[in-house]
């Protein structure tokens, strides 16, 4: 059985390509990328600025080089966003070149999505050939959460692209035990850290294990290569951490989300262990998270079923049963293969990625949102394509046929369950999917004639069965607008289009008032979300007092008084807010006690300049 599933592979170190590559491959790849671009760019600006929090940081970066470097929310550089700035570096560069607008804020993520699909194709093709590569790319493109996040300006789009780049480099490294490619993988993960911190390192165990097991070199060399890759991770992530630590704190913005103005503390605390174990500022949707198990925007109940539940299920789990079955079967059928077998190595890369990341997301008690699951989409797509190809080539034997049939039947049955959660949206689709899936599953198990046309017809039917549900959700996602800080995919009946948008309905009168200012900051208000909305409406810098949830010690009351005394803040807009958690009222109380309130539009405004 092992030889059946691996016999068509090229020798270790040889890429899965050659001079006899079919003519249909190149146009098919271009077609896949073109259709992906249409899906991700179609009606893109309907979402406006998407997440105003990050959009305002991009706007600030176009106004100040220091804000661009540090990822400041305001061009006056009081406080940064609560993530490292790599995604903002890309978005701001795009906006600086083409001008700041809704399109230039969202387009970089769409381009990253096209790049992710293309890179996943290249990675899978090297091991399994062009057709599985194309299928993997298509499945990634049509995953609902991917269609959401590659059209939205959260850091997850860049993170996903960098992780796929890391997987590609790891696969290349395994082929010939290449330390160069393994170092490249480390660099990709290092910049992933500068995109979303510790979340980027969830794939590290999988990449290291696959190389340690399968690279064609002695054990000592494999360990040395991994040490070199680890050094690359540290250097590519650590240079910016060191820069922030060495830069005088008085001349740079406060690191939003940290308690001690430290990027390293932010990585290990609020955006690290706090996400896993919960704590102050890290309320999750499960037990111990403080948000209640029914809060799907914060993950719902933790446990093994979380990825299939009401929060994550329709975002990512459409092909998850097939991926898990394919992973288990692939590892079992290749258990006696040579150590350097490339199918098994790829299963370790993608399977380890899926299991480690999926388990962390499932059990973490701190803040977790459904859109995080876009990080699972490449692994699921790759596992279905790689294992499906291997089982298909072993279909002369009963066990591979039963397994492949089980993958199809499980996918059809689970997709019926997911579609039944929105019974009013295309109600006939779930019946079509389950009946077609069970029919194809039966045909695969019974066995097929070897006629070429029959094989092609069955392959097309299988793909249609697996993709019909997720493609429908993906297309529905792309047709709708999304905003706020917690977007969700699928039909509108599945929930809100976003959460936590802050003061999104800034009155035109307040925006006009702030736009006419000439001070360093047009205004200050509590919370970064509210400040972001004011910035986008007026085009001027606004201080988000206290950062994301209003609790960061930036600016302090003493600093704020200095800014006001120097005539650097024109107005204070009352009623701003952060995310869950409120914030300090010291500055607001001082303003109310020393300045006169006026009403502008629907807002209470204090003029701070004399």
């Amino acid at each position: 059985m092992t030889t059946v599933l691996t016999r068509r592979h090229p020798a270790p170190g040889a890429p899965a390509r050659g001079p006899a590559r079919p003519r249909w491959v190149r146009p098919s790849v271009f077609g896949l990328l073109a259709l992906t671009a249409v899906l991700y760019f179609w009606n893109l600006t309907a979402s406006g600025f998407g997440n105003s929090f990050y959009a305002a940081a991009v706007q600030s970066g176009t106004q100040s080089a220091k804000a661009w470097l540090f990822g400041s929310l305001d061009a006056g550089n009081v406080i940064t966003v609560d993530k490292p700035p790599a995604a903002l570096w890309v978005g701001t560069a795009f906006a600086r070149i083409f001008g700041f607008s809704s399109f230039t804020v969202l387009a970089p993520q769409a381009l990253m999505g096209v790049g992710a699909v293309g890179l996943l194709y290249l990675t899978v093709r090297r091991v399994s050939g062009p057709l599985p590569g194309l299928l993997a790319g298509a499945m990634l493109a049509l995953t609902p959460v991917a269609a959401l996040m590659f059209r939205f300006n959260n850091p997850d789009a860049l993170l996903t692209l960098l992780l796929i780049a890391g997987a590609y480099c790891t696969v290349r490294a395994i082929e010939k035990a290449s330390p160069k490619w393994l170092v490249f993988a480390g660099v990709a993960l290092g910049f992933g850290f500068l995109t979303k911190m510790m979340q980027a390192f969830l794939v590290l165990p999988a990449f290291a294990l696959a190389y340690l097991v399968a690279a064609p070199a002695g054990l000592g060399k494999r360990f040395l290569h991994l040490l070199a890759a680890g050094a690359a991770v540290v250097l590519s992530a650590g240079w910016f951490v060191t820069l922030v630590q060495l830069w005088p704190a008085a001349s740079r913005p406060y690191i939003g989300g940290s308690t001690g103005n430290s990027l390293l503390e932010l990585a290990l605390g609020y955006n690290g262990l706090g996400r896993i174990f919960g704590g102050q500022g890290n309320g999750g949707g499960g037990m111990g998270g403080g948000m209640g198990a029914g809060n799907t925007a914060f993950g719902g109940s933790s446990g093994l079923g979380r990825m299939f539940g009401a929060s994550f299920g329709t975002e990512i789990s459409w092909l998850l049963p097939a991926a898990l079955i394919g992973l288990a079967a692939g590892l079992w059928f290749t258990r006696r293969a040579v150590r350097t077998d490339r199918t098994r190595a790829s299963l370790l890369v993608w399977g380890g990625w899926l299991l480690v990341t999926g388990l962390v997301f499932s059990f973490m008690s701190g803040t977790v949102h459904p859109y995080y699951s876009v990080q699972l989409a490449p692994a699921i797509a790759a596992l279905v394509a790689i294992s499906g190809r291997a089982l298909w080539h072993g279909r002369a034997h009963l066990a591979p046929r039963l397994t492949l049939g089980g993958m199809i039947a499980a996918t059809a049955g689970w997709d019926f369950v997911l579609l039944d959660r929105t019974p009013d949206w295309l109600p006939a689709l779930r019946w079509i999917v389950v009946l077609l899936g069970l029919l194809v599953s039966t045909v695969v198990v019974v066995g097929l004639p070897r006629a070429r046309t029959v094989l092609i017809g069955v392959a097309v039917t299988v793909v249609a069965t697996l993709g019909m549900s997720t493609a429908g959700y993906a297309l529905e996602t792309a047709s709708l607008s999304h905003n706020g800080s917690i977007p969700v995919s699928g039909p509108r009946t599945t929930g809100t289009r976003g959460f936590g948008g802050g003061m999104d309905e800034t009155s035109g009168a307040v925006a006009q008032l702030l736009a006419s200012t000439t001070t360093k900051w047009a205004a200050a208000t509590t919370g970064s979300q509210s400040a972001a909305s004011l910035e986008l409406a007026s085009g001027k810098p606004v201080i988000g007092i206290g950062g994301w949830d209003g609790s960061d010690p930036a600016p302090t009351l003493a600093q704020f008084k200095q800014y006001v005394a120097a005539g650097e803040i024109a107005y204070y807009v009352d009623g701003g807010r952060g995310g869950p958690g409120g914030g300090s009222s010291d500055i607001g109380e001082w303003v109310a006690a020393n300045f006169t309130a006026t009403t502008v539009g629907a807002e209470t405004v204090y003029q701070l300049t004399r």
Side-chain angles (χ1 to χ4, degrees):
M1 188 65 65
T2 297
T3 56
V4 169
L5 296 185
T6 62
R7 65 186 179 186
R8 299 186 184 217
H9 282 220
R17 58 182 179 180
R21 184 189 303 172
R23 294 181 179 179
W24 55 264
V25 172
R26 189 181 298 273
S28 297
V29 173
F30 288 147
L32 172 62
L33 297 180
L35 291 174
T36 302
V38 170
L39 176 64
Y40 290 168
F41 278 95
W42 173 38
N43 199 29
L44 185 62
T45 57
S47 297
F49 287 113
N51 189 332
S52 60
F53 181 60
Y54 294 116
V58 169
Q59 177 179 270
S60 298
T62 64
Q63 299 168 349
S64 163
K66 184 183 288 186
W68 186 8
L69 173 62
F70 289 106
S72 301
L73 181 75
D74 62 289
N77 293 290
V78 170
I79 192 169
T80 70
V81 299
D82 60 352
K83 298 290 187 296
L88 297 175
W89 291 341
V90 178
T92 302
F94 203 84
R96 278 178 171 256
I97 295 171
F98 299 105
F100 179 77
S101 67
S102 170
F103 180 79
T104 57
V105 164
L106 299 177
Q109 287 69 232
L111 290 173
M112 292 170 194
V114 177
V117 168
L119 198 53
L120 183 62
Y121 159 77
L122 291 175
T123 309
V124 173
R125 188 205 67 183
R126 295 195 69 85
V127 174
S128 299
L131 182 56
L134 287 167
L135 294 179
M139 285 185 281
L140 171 61
L142 293 174
T143 301
V145 71
L148 172 70
M149 297 314 296
F150 286 128
R151 295 169 51 89
F152 201 74
N153 57 320
N154 275 22
D156 300 76
L158 179 59
L159 176 64
T160 304
L161 175 61
L162 288 170
L163 295 185
I164 297 174
Y168 174 81
C169 294
T170 301
V171 169
R172 291 289 301 265
I174 291 173
E175 289 174 0
K176 296 182 180 180
S178 169
K180 177 186 72 174
W181 281 105
L182 199 62
V183 165
F184 287 161
V187 171
L189 297 189
F191 277 91
F193 176 88
L194 296 182
T195 302
K196 215 174 176 196
M197 294 194 159
M198 302 296 285
Q199 190 173 329
F201 292 163
L202 294 178
V203 300
L204 266 174
F207 293 179
L209 176 63
Y211 189 84
L212 192 61
V213 167
L219 183 60
K221 282 189 175 181
R222 281 176 270 157
F223 271 114
L224 288 176
H225 295 173
L226 285 173
L227 288 176
V233 173
V234 173
L235 290 174
S236 56
W239 71 269
F240 184 73
V241 176
T242 303
L243 174 69
V244 172
Q245 293 300 113
L246 295 179
W247 198 292
S251 65
R252 65 163 170 79
Y254 183 91
I255 304 303
S258 70
T259 57
N261 199 10
S262 166
L263 187 64
L264 185 60
E265 182 268 320
L266 176 65
L268 298 177
Y270 173 71
N271 279 334
L273 298 178
R275 298 278 172 162
I276 297 177
F277 299 110
Q280 184 175 1
N282 257 302
M287 294 182 63
M291 296 300 297
N295 193 332
T296 57
F298 286 82
S301 298
S302 60
L304 280 176
R306 178 181 267 180
M307 294 300 106
F308 299 92
S311 180
F312 284 85
T314 55
E315 301 283 350
I316 193 60
S317 72
W318 301 89
L319 297 173
L320 184 53
L324 293 173
I325 294 172
L327 172 62
L331 292 177
W332 175 256
F333 289 140
T334 59
R335 68 192 184 279
R336 295 192 180 95
V338 296
R339 180 180 63 81
T340 56
D341 180 71
R342 291 175 58 204
T343 295
R344 183 174 58 202
S346 291
L347 291 173
L348 291 175
V349 168
W350 299 109
W353 174 335
L354 175 62
L355 292 178
V356 173
T357 305
L359 287 173
V360 170
F361 286 172
S362 295
F363 286 98
M364 58 193 294
S365 300
T367 301
V368 58
H369 301 305
Y371 67 79
Y372 287 9
S373 60
V374 69
Q375 189 173 337
L376 301 175
I380 291 173
L383 285 171
V384 172
I386 293 170
S387 62
R389 178 260 187 198
L391 293 168
W392 177 259
H393 283 297
R395 66 189 180 278
H397 299 266
L398 178 60
R401 291 206 310 272
L402 286 172
T403 305
L404 184 58
M407 288 173 64
I408 298 170
T411 299
W414 179 243
D415 287 4
F416 179 91
V417 174
L418 293 178
L419 290 169
D420 196 48
R421 293 179 181 178
T422 54
D424 296 330
W425 181 75
L426 299 180
L429 180 60
R430 62 186 185 275
W431 294 105
I432 296 173
V433 168
V434 72
L435 292 176
L436 187 60
L438 293 177
L439 175 62
V440 174
S441 175
T442 302
V443 173
V444 169
V445 171
V446 170
L448 301 168
R450 293 187 179 273
R452 183 181 181 88
T453 54
V454 174
L455 296 180
I456 294 175
V458 171
V460 171
T461 305
V462 170
V463 172
T465 303
L466 294 175
M468 192 178 298
S469 305
T470 182
Y473 253 65
L475 292 172
E476 182 73 7
T477 299
S479 69
L480 301 173
S481 62
H482 301 85
N483 50 55
S485 60
I486 311 178
V488 294
S489 66
R492 292 195 183 276
T493 52
T494 61
T496 61
R497 304 264 56 79
F499 175 86
M503 197 183 295
D504 289 328
E505 297 181 2
T506 301
S507 69
V510 171
Q512 186 176 4
L513 177 67
L514 300 189
S516 65
T517 61
T518 58
T519 50
K520 185 175 182 178
W521 293 281
T525 191
T526 300
S528 293
Q529 295 178 88
S530 301
S533 296
L534 291 171
E535 285 189 348
L536 294 173
S538 66
K540 295 298 182 72
V542 176
I543 298 176
I545 301 170
W548 172 257
D549 64 358
S551 63
D552 290 344
T556 63
L557 178 58
Q559 289 172 328
F560 190 83
K561 289 179 178 180
Q562 291 176 359
Y563 299 151
V564 172
E568 293 180 320
I569 310 175
Y571 298 98
Y572 176 85
V573 181
D574 196 14
R577 62 181 179 86
S584 172
S585 60
D586 289 350
I587 292 176
E589 293 174 354
W590 177 79
V591 169
N594 292 275
F595 297 89
T596 303
T598 59
T599 300
V600 179
E603 312 291 347
T604 300
V605 177
Y606 295 83
Q607 183 174 353
L608 304 183
T609 53
R610 300 298 184 185

